[in-house]
Amino acid sequence: MWTSAMHPPRANLAQTGTAKPTFPSPMTEESIEKTAQRVQSSLRDLGIIARELLKGSRSEEVLSTAARSMVQHEGYIDNCSLNIARLEILSQQIALHEECMEQSLSNVEDLQWKLNSLTNRTKKLSADSSPHPPALDPAEGQYHFETLHGLSTSDAE
């Protein structure tokens, strides 16, 4: 079974004091089975280590891809934040314009009420007035109902 060419002889110095070649005992089935289990376990462990290394390299690839993608999108993000700032300014300007329009509308309504009031007074005065036409101020080119009918400017408002 075992030949001396397969296993070199061991020196047994402790027993005899001289070097005698000894041959290992042949392996039993039990030791062969244990060795096979250890080999399988070692191979399984190597497979686990290889998978972990691959995962590490893949996660490294994923991280580098994510970093590259982030760098590419950084310009878009900066542009979006700039656009948001511009939109905020436009929103503030629109709010100011809205306030001005509301104030102008209020002024228009007030002027319309004053105009209606003056128109009603003028109609009333023209019905009550003498047959003389209203006086014309040649410098201004306007009719002066106050001078004609004895109204003061505070009455006209």
Side-chain angles (χ1 to χ4, degrees):
M1 290 203 278
W2 296 102
T3 64
S4 60
M6 293 175 67
H7 297 283
R10 280 194 226 164
N12 192 350
L13 295 175
Q15 292 177 353
T16 61
T18 60
K20 279 191 195 176
T22 58
F23 296 102
S25 62
M27 294 182 73
T28 62
E29 279 187 35
E30 186 178 318
S31 64
I32 292 174
E33 195 173 308
K34 284 182 182 179
T35 305
Q37 287 174 353
R38 285 186 200 139
V39 169
Q40 284 180 344
S41 174
S42 296
L43 287 175
R44 201 174 322 124
D45 290 344
L46 283 174
I48 290 171
I49 291 171
R51 270 186 298 231
E52 290 299 317
L53 286 173
L54 284 174
K55 278 184 188 178
S57 66
R58 284 184 195 140
S59 62
E60 203 173 291
E61 289 174 20
V62 168
L63 285 175
S64 66
T65 303
R68 275 188 254 121
S69 177
M70 183 65 179
V71 168
Q72 287 175 345
H73 290 92
E74 190 173 2
Y76 298 126
I77 293 169
D78 290 341
N79 191 25
C80 287
S81 63
L82 183 64
N83 285 339
I84 288 172
R86 288 177 183 164
L87 287 174
E88 287 174 351
I89 292 171
L90 286 174
S91 174
Q92 292 170 356
Q93 289 177 346
I94 288 172
L96 288 175
H97 286 292
E98 182 182 14
E99 287 178 23
C100 290
M101 289 172 63
E102 286 174 356
Q103 189 177 16
S104 296
L105 182 61
S106 173
N107 290 342
V108 166
E109 289 172 352
D110 188 37
L111 288 173
Q112 190 174 13
W113 180 81
K114 287 180 181 179
L115 180 63
N116 286 338
S117 174
L118 285 174
T119 304
N120 289 338
R121 283 188 185 174
T122 306
K123 286 180 184 177
K124 182 180 177 187
L125 289 175
S126 64
D128 294 342
S129 71
S130 62
H132 300 294
L136 179 63
D137 184 0
E140 295 180 8
Q142 296 179 347
Y143 291 101
H144 289 280
F145 292 100
E146 302 88 41
T147 57
L148 232 171
H149 300 291
L151 295 173
S152 68
T153 54
S154 62
D155 292 337
E157 292 177 0

